[in-house]
Amino acid sequence: MGAQLRVYRRRIRATKSTAKITRAMELIATTRITKAQRAAEAAGPYAREITRAVSALASRVSDHPLLTEAENPTRAAVLVITSDKGLAGAFSSNVLKEAESLAQLLKEQGKEVVTYMVGRKGMAAYRFRDRKVEDQWEGITERPTYAHAQEIGTALMERFAQDTSEGGVDEIHVVSTEFVSMLTQRAAATRALPLEVEEVDEAELEAAHGGQALPLYEFEPSAEEALDRLLPQYVTNRIYFALLESAASQQASRRAAMKAATDNAEELAKNLTRLANQARQAEITNEISEIVGGADALSAASAGSE
Protein backbone atom coordinates (compact mmCIF):
# COMPACT_ATOMS: atom_id res chain seq x y z
CA MET A 1 0.00 0.00 0.00
CA GLY A 2 2.88 2.38 0.78
CA ALA A 3 4.38 1.81 -2.69
CA GLN A 4 1.07 2.70 -4.34
CA LEU A 5 0.87 5.91 -2.32
CA ARG A 6 4.38 6.89 -3.45
CA VAL A 7 3.39 6.31 -7.08
CA TYR A 8 0.36 8.58 -6.68
CA ARG A 9 2.42 11.33 -5.06
CA ARG A 10 5.05 11.13 -7.82
CA ARG A 11 2.36 11.42 -10.50
CA ILE A 12 0.77 14.37 -8.69
CA ARG A 13 4.09 16.24 -8.63
CA ALA A 14 4.68 15.53 -12.33
CA THR A 15 1.14 16.62 -13.28
CA LYS A 16 1.39 19.87 -11.32
CA SER A 17 4.76 20.64 -12.97
CA THR A 18 3.17 20.09 -16.38
CA ALA A 19 0.30 22.40 -15.45
CA LYS A 20 2.79 25.16 -14.55
CA ILE A 21 4.49 24.83 -17.94
CA THR A 22 1.25 24.86 -19.93
CA ARG A 23 -0.03 27.82 -17.90
CA ALA A 24 3.13 29.77 -18.71
CA MET A 25 2.80 28.91 -22.41
CA GLU A 26 -0.83 30.03 -22.31
CA LEU A 27 0.18 33.41 -20.90
CA ILE A 28 2.95 33.81 -23.49
CA ALA A 29 0.52 33.01 -26.32
CA THR A 30 -1.96 35.54 -24.90
CA THR A 31 0.59 38.35 -25.05
CA ARG A 32 1.66 37.40 -28.56
CA ILE A 33 -1.93 37.36 -29.82
CA THR A 34 -2.23 41.04 -28.98
CA LYS A 35 0.88 41.92 -30.98
CA ALA A 36 -0.21 39.79 -33.94
CA GLN A 37 -3.68 41.35 -33.92
CA ARG A 38 -2.22 44.85 -33.89
CA ALA A 39 0.01 44.01 -36.85
CA ALA A 40 -2.96 42.66 -38.83
CA GLU A 41 -5.08 45.69 -37.95
CA ALA A 42 -2.27 48.05 -38.98
CA ALA A 43 -2.06 46.36 -42.39
CA GLY A 44 -5.82 46.53 -42.91
CA PRO A 45 -6.18 50.15 -44.16
CA TYR A 46 -3.47 49.70 -46.80
CA ALA A 47 -5.06 46.44 -47.94
CA ARG A 48 -8.44 48.13 -48.35
CA GLU A 49 -7.07 51.13 -50.24
CA ILE A 50 -4.97 49.07 -52.63
CA THR A 51 -8.06 46.93 -53.31
CA ARG A 52 -10.00 50.05 -54.27
CA ALA A 53 -7.21 51.23 -56.55
CA VAL A 54 -6.91 47.85 -58.26
CA SER A 55 -10.71 47.77 -58.65
CA ALA A 56 -10.58 51.08 -60.47
CA LEU A 57 -7.72 49.91 -62.68
CA ALA A 58 -9.39 46.60 -63.48
CA SER A 59 -12.46 48.47 -64.71
CA ARG A 60 -10.23 50.22 -67.30
CA VAL A 61 -8.10 47.21 -68.32
CA SER A 62 -9.64 43.87 -69.20
CA ASP A 63 -6.90 41.99 -71.05
CA HIS A 64 -4.05 42.11 -68.52
CA PRO A 65 -2.18 38.78 -68.10
CA LEU A 66 -2.81 38.75 -64.35
CA LEU A 67 -6.53 39.25 -64.90
CA THR A 68 -7.03 36.80 -67.75
CA GLU A 69 -7.63 33.11 -67.13
CA ALA A 70 -5.94 30.54 -69.33
CA GLU A 71 -8.21 28.73 -71.78
CA ASN A 72 -7.04 25.29 -70.64
CA PRO A 73 -5.22 25.60 -67.30
CA THR A 74 -3.01 22.58 -66.63
CA ARG A 75 -0.87 23.53 -63.61
CA ALA A 76 -1.77 25.26 -60.36
CA ALA A 77 0.49 26.43 -57.54
CA VAL A 78 -0.80 26.08 -53.98
CA LEU A 79 0.82 28.11 -51.18
CA VAL A 80 0.14 26.40 -47.83
CA ILE A 81 0.76 28.44 -44.66
CA THR A 82 1.24 26.30 -41.53
CA SER A 83 3.20 26.88 -38.30
CA ASP A 84 6.84 26.43 -37.33
CA LYS A 85 6.06 25.18 -33.82
CA GLY A 86 3.63 22.69 -32.35
CA LEU A 87 1.41 22.73 -29.27
CA ALA A 88 -1.21 24.72 -31.20
CA GLY A 89 -4.01 22.20 -31.29
CA ALA A 90 -5.35 21.39 -34.75
CA PHE A 91 -4.02 24.60 -36.33
CA SER A 92 -1.62 23.05 -38.86
CA SER A 93 -3.68 19.90 -39.41
CA ASN A 94 -6.75 21.96 -40.37
CA VAL A 95 -4.70 23.90 -42.94
CA LEU A 96 -3.27 20.67 -44.36
CA LYS A 97 -6.76 19.16 -44.62
CA GLU A 98 -7.96 22.24 -46.50
CA ALA A 99 -4.93 22.04 -48.79
CA GLU A 100 -5.63 18.36 -49.41
CA SER A 101 -9.25 19.13 -50.33
CA LEU A 102 -8.15 21.89 -52.70
CA ALA A 103 -5.51 19.65 -54.31
CA GLN A 104 -8.10 16.92 -54.84
CA LEU A 105 -10.47 19.41 -56.48
CA LEU A 106 -7.75 20.74 -58.78
CA LYS A 107 -6.72 17.22 -59.78
CA GLU A 108 -10.32 16.40 -60.62
CA GLN A 109 -10.26 19.42 -62.94
CA GLY A 110 -7.22 17.94 -64.69
CA LYS A 111 -4.64 20.29 -63.17
CA GLU A 112 -1.23 19.36 -61.82
CA VAL A 113 -0.69 20.70 -58.29
CA VAL A 114 2.62 22.40 -57.42
CA THR A 115 2.96 22.92 -53.66
CA TYR A 116 4.78 25.78 -51.91
CA MET A 117 5.03 25.42 -48.14
CA VAL A 118 5.41 27.91 -45.28
CA GLY A 119 6.14 26.43 -41.85
CA ARG A 120 8.08 23.47 -40.46
CA LYS A 121 4.96 21.55 -39.44
CA GLY A 122 3.69 21.43 -43.00
CA MET A 123 7.10 20.37 -44.29
CA ALA A 124 7.33 17.60 -41.68
CA ALA A 125 3.90 16.28 -42.70
CA TYR A 126 4.81 16.28 -46.40
CA ARG A 127 8.19 14.62 -45.77
CA PHE A 128 6.48 11.90 -43.73
CA ARG A 129 4.12 11.22 -46.65
CA ASP A 130 6.97 11.53 -49.18
CA ARG A 131 5.30 14.38 -51.07
CA LYS A 132 7.17 16.84 -53.20
CA VAL A 133 7.37 20.54 -52.30
CA GLU A 134 8.54 23.00 -54.94
CA ASP A 135 9.83 25.60 -52.45
CA GLN A 136 9.63 26.22 -48.72
CA TRP A 137 10.01 28.97 -46.12
CA GLU A 138 10.61 28.29 -42.44
CA GLY A 139 11.05 30.35 -39.29
CA ILE A 140 8.77 33.22 -40.36
CA THR A 141 5.29 32.18 -39.26
CA GLU A 142 5.27 33.78 -35.80
CA ARG A 143 6.67 37.18 -36.85
CA PRO A 144 6.14 37.60 -40.60
CA THR A 145 7.39 40.75 -42.29
CA TYR A 146 6.57 42.40 -45.58
CA ALA A 147 9.98 41.32 -46.88
CA HIS A 148 8.99 37.69 -46.32
CA ALA A 149 5.77 38.26 -48.26
CA GLN A 150 7.71 39.91 -51.09
CA GLU A 151 10.06 36.94 -51.31
CA ILE A 152 7.19 34.48 -51.48
CA GLY A 153 5.17 36.63 -53.88
CA THR A 154 8.11 37.10 -56.23
CA ALA A 155 8.76 33.35 -56.40
CA LEU A 156 5.11 32.61 -57.15
CA MET A 157 4.65 35.37 -59.71
CA GLU A 158 7.80 34.35 -61.58
CA ARG A 159 6.27 30.90 -62.03
CA PHE A 160 2.96 32.45 -63.07
CA ALA A 161 4.71 34.52 -65.74
CA GLN A 162 6.41 31.44 -67.21
CA ASP A 163 4.85 29.12 -69.72
CA THR A 164 3.59 25.83 -68.34
CA SER A 165 5.87 23.94 -70.71
CA GLU A 166 8.83 25.63 -68.99
CA GLY A 167 7.64 24.87 -65.45
CA GLY A 168 5.21 27.76 -65.05
CA VAL A 169 1.71 27.65 -63.57
CA ASP A 170 -1.69 28.91 -64.70
CA GLU A 171 -3.15 29.56 -61.25
CA ILE A 172 -1.96 30.45 -57.75
CA HIS A 173 -3.97 29.52 -54.67
CA VAL A 174 -3.29 30.40 -51.02
CA VAL A 175 -4.38 28.13 -48.16
CA SER A 176 -4.15 29.81 -44.75
CA THR A 177 -6.07 30.39 -41.53
CA GLU A 178 -8.44 33.33 -41.15
CA PHE A 179 -8.61 34.98 -37.74
CA VAL A 180 -12.32 35.31 -36.98
CA SER A 181 -12.10 35.81 -33.21
CA MET A 182 -10.13 34.68 -30.18
CA LEU A 183 -12.22 31.51 -30.12
CA THR A 184 -12.68 30.91 -33.86
CA GLN A 185 -10.02 30.44 -36.53
CA ARG A 186 -10.99 29.07 -39.93
CA ALA A 187 -8.79 27.40 -42.55
CA ALA A 188 -9.66 28.71 -46.01
CA ALA A 189 -8.41 28.61 -49.59
CA THR A 190 -8.44 31.61 -51.94
CA ARG A 191 -7.23 32.15 -55.48
CA ALA A 192 -4.61 34.85 -55.81
CA LEU A 193 -3.95 34.62 -59.57
CA PRO A 194 -5.53 35.07 -62.07
CA LEU A 195 -6.65 37.98 -60.00
CA GLU A 196 -10.15 38.05 -58.59
CA VAL A 197 -10.62 41.62 -57.44
CA GLU A 198 -12.64 41.75 -54.24
CA GLU A 199 -15.43 44.28 -54.17
CA VAL A 200 -15.84 46.53 -51.14
CA ASP A 201 -19.17 46.12 -49.31
CA GLU A 202 -21.61 49.02 -48.94
CA ALA A 203 -20.96 49.58 -45.24
CA GLU A 204 -17.22 49.91 -45.78
CA LEU A 205 -17.76 52.13 -48.82
CA GLU A 206 -20.05 54.43 -46.86
CA ALA A 207 -17.56 54.66 -44.00
CA ALA A 208 -14.70 55.49 -46.37
CA HIS A 209 -16.41 57.76 -48.89
CA GLY A 210 -19.63 58.87 -47.25
CA GLY A 211 -21.74 56.54 -49.38
CA GLN A 212 -20.42 58.00 -52.63
CA ALA A 213 -19.03 56.05 -55.56
CA LEU A 214 -15.33 55.30 -55.85
CA PRO A 215 -13.34 58.38 -56.85
CA LEU A 216 -12.33 58.80 -60.46
CA TYR A 217 -8.62 58.22 -61.01
CA GLU A 218 -6.39 59.71 -63.67
CA PHE A 219 -3.58 57.37 -64.66
CA GLU A 220 -0.19 58.55 -65.78
CA PRO A 221 1.31 57.35 -68.05
CA SER A 222 -1.49 54.77 -68.63
CA ALA A 223 -3.81 52.43 -66.77
CA GLU A 224 -1.97 49.40 -68.19
CA GLU A 225 1.41 50.52 -66.88
CA ALA A 226 -0.08 51.48 -63.52
CA LEU A 227 -1.64 48.04 -63.28
CA ASP A 228 1.71 46.42 -64.10
CA ARG A 229 3.23 48.07 -61.03
CA LEU A 230 0.22 47.85 -58.71
CA LEU A 231 -0.79 44.22 -59.22
CA PRO A 232 2.45 42.70 -57.86
CA GLN A 233 2.06 44.88 -54.76
CA TYR A 234 -1.56 43.79 -54.47
CA VAL A 235 -0.66 40.10 -54.62
CA THR A 236 2.23 40.57 -52.17
CA ASN A 237 -0.11 42.41 -49.81
CA ARG A 238 -2.61 39.55 -49.94
CA ILE A 239 0.14 37.09 -49.02
CA TYR A 240 1.37 39.41 -46.26
CA PHE A 241 -2.11 39.77 -44.82
CA ALA A 242 -2.56 35.98 -44.94
CA LEU A 243 0.71 35.56 -43.03
CA LEU A 244 -0.38 38.08 -40.40
CA GLU A 245 -3.78 36.46 -39.93
CA SER A 246 -2.14 33.07 -39.76
CA ALA A 247 0.25 34.31 -37.06
CA ALA A 248 -2.63 35.65 -34.96
CA SER A 249 -4.64 32.46 -35.49
CA GLN A 250 -1.66 30.33 -34.52
CA GLN A 251 -1.26 32.10 -31.19
CA ALA A 252 -4.99 31.96 -30.49
CA SER A 253 -5.04 28.24 -31.24
CA ARG A 254 -1.98 27.68 -29.04
CA ARG A 255 -3.58 29.65 -26.21
CA ALA A 256 -6.74 27.54 -26.40
CA ALA A 257 -4.72 24.30 -26.54
CA MET A 258 -2.57 25.26 -23.58
CA LYS A 259 -5.61 26.33 -21.55
CA ALA A 260 -7.25 22.98 -22.24
CA ALA A 261 -4.01 21.19 -21.28
CA THR A 262 -3.76 23.19 -18.04
CA ASP A 263 -7.38 22.45 -17.13
CA ASN A 264 -6.89 18.75 -17.85
CA ALA A 265 -3.70 18.65 -15.79
CA GLU A 266 -5.40 20.34 -12.84
CA GLU A 267 -8.35 17.94 -13.06
CA LEU A 268 -5.99 14.97 -13.23
CA ALA A 269 -4.08 16.26 -10.19
CA LYS A 270 -7.37 16.48 -8.24
CA ASN A 271 -8.30 12.91 -9.18
CA LEU A 272 -4.85 11.61 -8.26
CA THR A 273 -5.00 13.49 -4.94
CA ARG A 274 -8.34 11.85 -4.21
CA LEU A 275 -6.90 8.42 -4.99
CA ALA A 276 -3.81 9.16 -2.88
CA ASN A 277 -6.02 10.14 0.05
CA GLN A 278 -8.00 6.95 -0.33
CA ALA A 279 -4.80 4.91 -0.43
CA ARG A 280 -3.49 6.72 2.66
CA GLN A 281 -6.75 6.15 4.53
CA ALA A 282 -6.68 2.47 3.59
CA GLU A 283 -3.09 2.26 4.81
CA ILE A 284 -3.99 3.92 8.13
CA THR A 285 -7.02 1.66 8.53
CA ASN A 286 -4.85 -1.36 7.85
CA GLU A 287 -2.28 -0.22 10.44
CA ILE A 288 -5.02 0.37 13.05
CA SER A 289 -6.46 -3.06 12.31
CA GLU A 290 -3.05 -4.63 12.79
CA ILE A 291 -2.56 -2.76 16.11
CA VAL A 292 -6.00 -3.76 17.35
CA GLY A 293 -5.42 -7.34 16.25
CA GLY A 294 -2.08 -7.44 18.05
CA ALA A 295 -3.63 -6.00 21.22
CA ASP A 296 -6.41 -8.56 21.11
CA ALA A 297 -3.84 -11.34 20.66
CA LEU A 298 -1.83 -10.07 23.64
CA SER A 299 -4.95 -9.86 25.76
CA ALA A 300 -5.97 -13.36 24.80
CA ALA A 301 -2.47 -14.65 25.57
CA SER A 302 -2.45 -12.92 28.97
CA ALA A 303 -5.90 -14.32 29.84
CA GLY A 304 -4.79 -17.83 28.88
CA SER A 305 -1.64 -17.67 31.04
CA GLU A 306 -3.67 -16.62 34.05
Side-chain angles (χ1 to χ4, degrees):
M1 194 66 70
Q4 185 179 9
L5 183 59
R6 286 194 295 273
V7 170
Y8 282 138
R9 287 174 175 171
R10 185 167 59 249
R11 291 185 62 188
I12 290 170
R13 288 195 298 270
T15 304
K16 288 183 176 180
S17 297
T18 301
K20 290 180 181 178
I21 295 172
T22 54
R23 174 69 69 183
M25 295 183 69
E26 177 189 349
L27 296 175
I28 292 171
T30 301
T31 58
R32 289 180 177 176
I33 290 172
T34 305
K35 295 179 180 179
Q37 278 185 296
R38 288 175 181 172
E41 291 173 357
Y46 177 77
R48 288 190 293 270
E49 291 303 324
I50 197 172
T51 298
R52 294 191 183 97
V54 171
S55 299
L57 280 166
S59 64
R60 300 285 188 91
V61 181
S62 58
D63 57 349
H64 194 277
L66 298 183
L67 299 175
T68 306
E69 296 189 24
E71 294 183 1
N72 297 307
T74 57
R75 303 186 82 220
V78 178
L79 175 65
V80 184
I81 302 176
T82 62
S83 64
D84 287 309
K85 298 179 181 179
L87 301 177
F91 174 79
S92 293
S93 61
N94 288 340
V95 176
L96 293 174
K97 288 178 182 177
E98 185 69 23
E100 185 66 23
S101 300
L102 175 61
Q104 185 63 31
L105 177 62
L106 293 174
K107 289 177 182 177
E108 291 175 358
Q109 296 174 355
K111 302 172 186 175
E112 179 186 353
V113 177
V114 182
T115 303
Y116 291 79
M117 186 66 66
V118 177
R120 295 189 180 95
K121 287 298 176 180
M123 281 304 307
Y126 271 57
R127 287 195 193 102
F128 179 77
R129 293 168 176 81
D130 196 22
R131 294 183 178 178
K132 182 182 177 182
V133 174
E134 190 71 18
D135 203 349
Q136 65 185 62
W137 294 268
E138 297 179 356
I140 67 173
T141 58
E142 290 196 352
R143 296 179 179 85
T145 64
Y146 194 77
H148 296 142
Q150 281 183 317
E151 181 182 350
I152 297 171
T154 300
L156 291 172
M157 293 186 67
E158 285 178 355
R159 285 302 182 92
F160 186 79
Q162 292 179 350
D163 190 84
T164 53
S165 60
E166 300 175 354
V169 296
D170 298 310
E171 297 176 359
I172 294 177
H173 300 262
V174 179
V175 182
S176 61
T177 306
E178 297 177 351
F179 184 86
V180 181
S181 67
M182 292 288 288
L183 300 177
T184 306
Q185 300 84 44
R186 180 176 57 244
T190 57
R191 195 181 78 177
L193 294 175
L195 191 62
E196 293 178 332
V197 179
E198 299 176 356
E199 297 295 335
V200 181
D201 58 32
E202 294 181 1
E204 187 178 358
L205 186 64
E206 183 177 356
H209 298 286
Q212 303 297 321
L214 286 171
L216 295 176
Y217 292 97
E218 293 184 1
F219 304 106
E220 180 68 30
S222 66
E224 289 78 7
E225 293 187 30
L227 196 60
D228 286 336
R229 295 193 177 187
L230 196 58
L231 273 174
Q233 296 183 28
Y234 176 80
V235 174
T236 299
N237 182 263
R238 290 195 64 172
I239 295 174
Y240 180 50
F241 199 72
L243 289 171
L244 292 176
E245 279 203 316
S246 181
S249 300
Q250 178 186 165
Q251 298 301 336
S253 182
R254 180 170 290 114
R255 174 183 175 274
M258 291 301 98
K259 185 179 187 305
T262 302
D263 293 342
N264 291 337
E266 291 176 349
E267 184 65 24
L268 179 58
K270 290 180 182 178
N271 294 335
L272 289 172
T273 301
R274 190 179 301 113
L275 292 174
N277 291 337
Q278 292 175 357
R280 185 170 180 271
Q281 290 172 0
E283 185 177 358
I284 293 172
T285 302
N286 186 47
E287 291 176 356
I288 293 174
S289 299
E290 290 176 355
I291 293 171
V292 172
D296 290 342
L298 290 173
S299 297
S302 298
S305 61
E306 291 177 356

PDB file of all heavy atoms in Angstrom, residues 94-108:
ATOM      1  N   ASN A  94      -5.589  21.413 -39.658  1.00  0.00           N
ATOM      2  CA  ASN A  94      -6.750  21.962 -40.370  1.00  0.00           C
ATOM      3  C   ASN A  94      -6.334  22.592 -41.694  1.00  0.00           C
ATOM      4  O   ASN A  94      -7.029  22.452 -42.714  1.00  0.00           O
ATOM      5  CB  ASN A  94      -7.459  22.997 -39.499  1.00  0.00           C
ATOM      6  CG  ASN A  94      -8.212  22.371 -38.342  1.00  0.00           C
ATOM      7  OD1 ASN A  94      -8.533  21.175 -38.366  1.00  0.00           O
ATOM      8  ND2 ASN A  94      -8.497  23.148 -37.326  1.00  0.00           N
ATOM      9  N   VAL A  95      -5.201  23.293 -41.691  1.00  0.00           N
ATOM     10  CA  VAL A  95      -4.700  23.896 -42.943  1.00  0.00           C
ATOM     11  C   VAL A  95      -4.330  22.809 -43.945  1.00  0.00           C
ATOM     12  O   VAL A  95      -4.641  22.906 -45.138  1.00  0.00           O
ATOM     13  CB  VAL A  95      -3.492  24.806 -42.651  1.00  0.00           C
ATOM     14  CG1 VAL A  95      -2.905  25.351 -43.954  1.00  0.00           C
ATOM     15  CG2 VAL A  95      -3.894  25.961 -41.756  1.00  0.00           C
ATOM     16  N   LEU A  96      -3.663  21.760 -43.472  1.00  0.00           N
ATOM     17  CA  LEU A  96      -3.268  20.675 -44.361  1.00  0.00           C
ATOM     18  C   LEU A  96      -4.475  19.939 -44.927  1.00  0.00           C
ATOM     19  O   LEU A  96      -4.474  19.515 -46.086  1.00  0.00           O
ATOM     20  CB  LEU A  96      -2.348  19.704 -43.612  1.00  0.00           C
ATOM     21  CG  LEU A  96      -0.977  20.280 -43.209  1.00  0.00           C
ATOM     22  CD1 LEU A  96      -0.218  19.288 -42.352  1.00  0.00           C
ATOM     23  CD2 LEU A  96      -0.170  20.646 -44.447  1.00  0.00           C
ATOM     24  N   LYS A  97      -5.529  19.785 -44.119  1.00  0.00           N
ATOM     25  CA  LYS A  97      -6.758  19.159 -44.622  1.00  0.00           C
ATOM     26  C   LYS A  97      -7.395  20.016 -45.703  1.00  0.00           C
ATOM     27  O   LYS A  97      -7.866  19.503 -46.727  1.00  0.00           O
ATOM     28  CB  LYS A  97      -7.740  18.950 -43.469  1.00  0.00           C
ATOM     29  CG  LYS A  97      -7.352  17.845 -42.502  1.00  0.00           C
ATOM     30  CD  LYS A  97      -8.363  17.736 -41.373  1.00  0.00           C
ATOM     31  CE  LYS A  97      -7.950  16.667 -40.371  1.00  0.00           C
ATOM     32  NZ  LYS A  97      -8.889  16.590 -39.223  1.00  0.00           N
ATOM     33  N   GLU A  98      -7.405  21.333 -45.488  1.00  0.00           N
ATOM     34  CA  GLU A  98      -7.962  22.239 -46.498  1.00  0.00           C
ATOM     35  C   GLU A  98      -7.125  22.202 -47.773  1.00  0.00           C
ATOM     36  O   GLU A  98      -7.666  22.220 -48.891  1.00  0.00           O
ATOM     37  CB  GLU A  98      -8.004  23.661 -45.943  1.00  0.00           C
ATOM     38  CG  GLU A  98      -8.683  24.672 -46.850  1.00  0.00           C
ATOM     39  CD  GLU A  98     -10.176  24.444 -46.971  1.00  0.00           C
ATOM     40  OE1 GLU A  98     -10.761  23.814 -46.071  1.00  0.00           O
ATOM     41  OE2 GLU A  98     -10.746  24.894 -47.994  1.00  0.00           O
ATOM     42  N   ALA A  99      -5.806  22.143 -47.621  1.00  0.00           N
ATOM     43  CA  ALA A  99      -4.930  22.045 -48.794  1.00  0.00           C
ATOM     44  C   ALA A  99      -5.149  20.737 -49.534  1.00  0.00           C
ATOM     45  O   ALA A  99      -5.117  20.700 -50.774  1.00  0.00           O
ATOM     46  CB  ALA A  99      -3.469  22.167 -48.357  1.00  0.00           C
ATOM     47  N   GLU A 100      -5.375  19.662 -48.782  1.00  0.00           N
ATOM     48  CA  GLU A 100      -5.626  18.364 -49.414  1.00  0.00           C
ATOM     49  C   GLU A 100      -6.942  18.386 -50.189  1.00  0.00           C
ATOM     50  O   GLU A 100      -7.026  17.855 -51.298  1.00  0.00           O
ATOM     51  CB  GLU A 100      -5.673  17.275 -48.335  1.00  0.00           C
ATOM     52  CG  GLU A 100      -5.809  15.867 -48.871  1.00  0.00           C
ATOM     53  CD  GLU A 100      -4.587  15.409 -49.659  1.00  0.00           C
ATOM     54  OE1 GLU A 100      -3.501  15.971 -49.443  1.00  0.00           O
ATOM     55  OE2 GLU A 100      -4.745  14.505 -50.509  1.00  0.00           O
ATOM     56  N   SER A 101      -7.966  19.023 -49.625  1.00  0.00           N
ATOM     57  CA  SER A 101      -9.253  19.125 -50.325  1.00  0.00           C
ATOM     58  C   SER A 101      -9.118  19.943 -51.603  1.00  0.00           C
ATOM     59  O   SER A 101      -9.674  19.583 -52.655  1.00  0.00           O
ATOM     60  CB  SER A 101     -10.299  19.753 -49.406  1.00  0.00           C
ATOM     61  OG  SER A 101     -10.501  18.977 -48.243  1.00  0.00           O
ATOM     62  N   LEU A 102      -8.363  21.058 -51.520  1.00  0.00           N
ATOM     63  CA  LEU A 102      -8.152  21.887 -52.705  1.00  0.00           C
ATOM     64  C   LEU A 102      -7.364  21.127 -53.766  1.00  0.00           C
ATOM     65  O   LEU A 102      -7.698  21.188 -54.964  1.00  0.00           O
ATOM     66  CB  LEU A 102      -7.410  23.165 -52.307  1.00  0.00           C
ATOM     67  CG  LEU A 102      -7.012  24.100 -53.456  1.00  0.00           C
ATOM     68  CD1 LEU A 102      -8.232  24.588 -54.207  1.00  0.00           C
ATOM     69  CD2 LEU A 102      -6.184  25.274 -52.927  1.00  0.00           C
ATOM     70  N   ALA A 103      -6.311  20.409 -53.355  1.00  0.00           N
ATOM     71  CA  ALA A 103      -5.508  19.649 -54.310  1.00  0.00           C
ATOM     72  C   ALA A 103      -6.356  18.590 -55.009  1.00  0.00           C
ATOM     73  O   ALA A 103      -6.228  18.377 -56.225  1.00  0.00           O
ATOM     74  CB  ALA A 103      -4.325  19.005 -53.597  1.00  0.00           C
ATOM     75  N   GLN A 104      -7.235  17.930 -54.246  1.00  0.00           N
ATOM     76  CA  GLN A 104      -8.097  16.922 -54.843  1.00  0.00           C
ATOM     77  C   GLN A 104      -9.036  17.541 -55.866  1.00  0.00           C
ATOM     78  O   GLN A 104      -9.265  16.982 -56.948  1.00  0.00           O
ATOM     79  CB  GLN A 104      -8.901  16.228 -53.739  1.00  0.00           C
ATOM     80  CG  GLN A 104      -9.752  15.058 -54.210  1.00  0.00           C
ATOM     81  CD  GLN A 104      -8.917  13.922 -54.772  1.00  0.00           C
ATOM     82  OE1 GLN A 104      -7.785  13.701 -54.338  1.00  0.00           O
ATOM     83  NE2 GLN A 104      -9.465  13.201 -55.741  1.00  0.00           N
ATOM     84  N   LEU A 105      -9.577  18.729 -55.543  1.00  0.00           N
ATOM     85  CA  LEU A 105     -10.471  19.413 -56.482  1.00  0.00           C
ATOM     86  C   LEU A 105      -9.733  19.815 -57.748  1.00  0.00           C
ATOM     87  O   LEU A 105     -10.257  19.643 -58.871  1.00  0.00           O
ATOM     88  CB  LEU A 105     -11.062  20.644 -55.797  1.00  0.00           C
ATOM     89  CG  LEU A 105     -11.969  21.537 -56.657  1.00  0.00           C
ATOM     90  CD1 LEU A 105     -13.187  20.767 -57.123  1.00  0.00           C
ATOM     91  CD2 LEU A 105     -12.382  22.784 -55.882  1.00  0.00           C
ATOM     92  N   LEU A 106      -8.522  20.331 -57.607  1.00  0.00           N
ATOM     93  CA  LEU A 106      -7.749  20.743 -58.780  1.00  0.00           C
ATOM     94  C   LEU A 106      -7.384  19.545 -59.653  1.00  0.00           C
ATOM     95  O   LEU A 106      -7.406  19.628 -60.883  1.00  0.00           O
ATOM     96  CB  LEU A 106      -6.482  21.477 -58.327  1.00  0.00           C
ATOM     97  CG  LEU A 106      -6.692  22.831 -57.636  1.00  0.00           C
ATOM     98  CD1 LEU A 106      -5.374  23.370 -57.100  1.00  0.00           C
ATOM     99  CD2 LEU A 106      -7.324  23.834 -58.590  1.00  0.00           C
ATOM    100  N   LYS A 107      -7.057  18.427 -59.013  1.00  0.00           N
ATOM    101  CA  LYS A 107      -6.722  17.221 -59.781  1.00  0.00           C
ATOM    102  C   LYS A 107      -7.935  16.706 -60.541  1.00  0.00           C
ATOM    103  O   LYS A 107      -7.805  16.218 -61.670  1.00  0.00           O
ATOM    104  CB  LYS A 107      -6.177  16.147 -58.849  1.00  0.00           C
ATOM    105  CG  LYS A 107      -4.792  16.458 -58.305  1.00  0.00           C
ATOM    106  CD  LYS A 107      -4.324  15.396 -57.329  1.00  0.00           C
ATOM    107  CE  LYS A 107      -2.952  15.742 -56.753  1.00  0.00           C
ATOM    108  NZ  LYS A 107      -2.511  14.740 -55.750  1.00  0.00           N
ATOM    109  N   GLU A 108      -9.105  16.816 -59.924  1.00  0.00           N
ATOM    110  CA  GLU A 108     -10.320  16.402 -60.620  1.00  0.00           C
ATOM    111  C   GLU A 108     -10.597  17.273 -61.839  1.00  0.00           C
ATOM    112  O   GLU A 108     -11.226  16.823 -62.797  1.00  0.00           O
ATOM    113  CB  GLU A 108     -11.509  16.453 -59.660  1.00  0.00           C
ATOM    114  CG  GLU A 108     -11.464  15.391 -58.567  1.00  0.00           C
ATOM    115  CD  GLU A 108     -12.588  15.540 -57.568  1.00  0.00           C
ATOM    116  OE1 GLU A 108     -13.369  16.511 -57.720  1.00  0.00           O
ATOM    117  OE2 GLU A 108     -12.693  14.703 -56.654  1.00  0.00           O
TER     118      GLU A 108
END
